[in-house]
């Protein structure tokens, strides 16, 4: 009986070692890639380029200028139909700020939503326009703001806008009022 147990143990060990030795043989046969090939793969950043020269410094500077202009109006009062610089409605604020950067984005929030390039929520970045319904707009666009920053973990964003209750201020997309009314985002090009 003890001979049978020992034999079984030996067979189990032999079969458990067989696959691992086969794996070692397979990996030993593969030659490591040449150093030159590895560097070529690492240095290949073609997927990042669209064929056009893109100056990131100018882009960052433009966003900084846009944010400086927007934040210079914090606290400005809300007035329906006002287009600045001392009072704004929501679309008046966004069109005024972008106008100071020599960009025409449309006059009304609906026009801005229709005129600018649609983007996915995962693509939102500072300077993008974000749109919401309002109590009087039903399910249509009724409010707009400019993205200030994005939380990459949660996907929420802060945006600056002309609020009918508080004037120009910064709000978060997770605030109950705005999270229920969010429609989408657009990029100004």
């Amino acid at each position: 009986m003890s001979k049978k147990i020992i034999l079984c143990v030996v067979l189990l060990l032999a079969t458990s070692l067989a696959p691992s030795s086969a794996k070692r043989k397979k990996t030993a046969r593969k030659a490591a890639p040449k150093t030159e090939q590895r560097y070529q793969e690492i240095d290949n950043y073609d997927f990042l380029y669209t064929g056009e020269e893109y100056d990131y410094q100018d882009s960052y500077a433009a966003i900084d200028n846009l944010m400086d202009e927007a934040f210079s109006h914090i606290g400005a009062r809300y007035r329906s139909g006002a287009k600045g610089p001392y009072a704004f409605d929501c679309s008046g604020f966004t069109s005024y700020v972008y106008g100071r950067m020599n960009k025409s984005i449309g006059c009304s929030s609906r026009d801005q939503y229709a005129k600018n390039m649609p983007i996915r929520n995962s693509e939102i970045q500072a300077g993008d326009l974000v749109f919401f319904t309002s109590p009087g707009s039903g399910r249509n666009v009724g409010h707009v703001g400019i993205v200030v920053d994005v939380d990459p973990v949660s996907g929420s964003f802060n945006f600056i806008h002309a609020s009918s209750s508080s004037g120009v201020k910064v709000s978060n997309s997770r605030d109950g009022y705005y999270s229920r009314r969010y429609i989408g985002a657009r990029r100004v090009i």
Side-chain angles (χ1 to χ4, degrees):
M1 177 81 166
S2 64
K3 289 182 182 181
K4 288 182 182 180
I5 294 174
I6 293 174
L7 182 60
C8 286
V9 169
V10 170
L11 286 174
L12 275 173
L13 286 173
T15 56
S16 66
L17 292 177
S20 64
S21 64
K23 287 181 187 175
R24 275 190 229 130
K25 287 179 186 175
K26 286 181 185 177
T27 56
R29 287 182 190 164
K30 282 187 179 179
K34 293 179 183 176
T35 305
E36 287 179 31
Q37 288 176 338
R38 277 192 261 159
Y39 286 129
Q40 286 175 352
E41 290 174 10
I42 291 170
D43 290 342
N44 184 3
Y45 294 105
D46 291 342
F47 64 92
L48 293 175
Y49 303 110
T50 60
E52 297 177 13
E53 290 293 322
Y54 188 75
D55 190 348
Y56 289 98
Q57 291 297 95
D58 284 349
S59 178
Y60 290 131
I63 295 297
D64 284 345
N65 291 339
L66 181 77
M67 290 298 125
D68 288 345
E69 180 63 35
F71 276 92
S72 73
H73 300 286
I74 288 281
R77 64 191 178 98
Y78 179 91
R79 186 177 346 133
S80 182
K83 305 225 179 280
Y86 304 108
F88 300 95
D89 68 4
C90 66
S91 58
F93 173 70
T94 54
S95 62
Y96 180 84
V97 170
Y98 267 100
R100 300 282 290 168
M101 304 297 117
N102 297 318
K103 298 249 185 197
S104 175
I105 62 169
C107 295
S108 68
S109 56
R110 287 182 187 177
D111 189 27
Q112 292 172 15
Y113 185 78
K115 185 176 182 180
N116 295 289
M117 184 177 79
I119 56 172
R120 294 184 196 111
N121 291 342
S122 61
E123 299 172 324
I124 293 175
Q125 62 188 24
D128 289 337
L129 299 172
V130 284
F131 297 88
F132 306 87
T133 62
S134 65
S137 69
R139 292 184 177 200
N140 296 317
V141 173
H143 189 66
V144 62
I146 302 171
V147 175
V148 173
D149 59 24
V150 179
D151 179 350
V153 175
S154 69
S156 67
F157 53 86
N158 291 314
F159 61 101
I160 188 167
H161 61 118
S163 161
S164 60
S165 61
S166 307
V168 176
K169 69 176 196 168
V170 175
S171 297
N172 187 278
S173 62
R174 295 223 173 195
D175 294 347
Y177 179 84
Y178 296 106
S179 66
R180 289 189 309 271
R181 297 178 180 277
Y182 178 71
I183 295 175
R186 298 289 187 261
R187 180 153 300 147
V188 176
I189 38 177

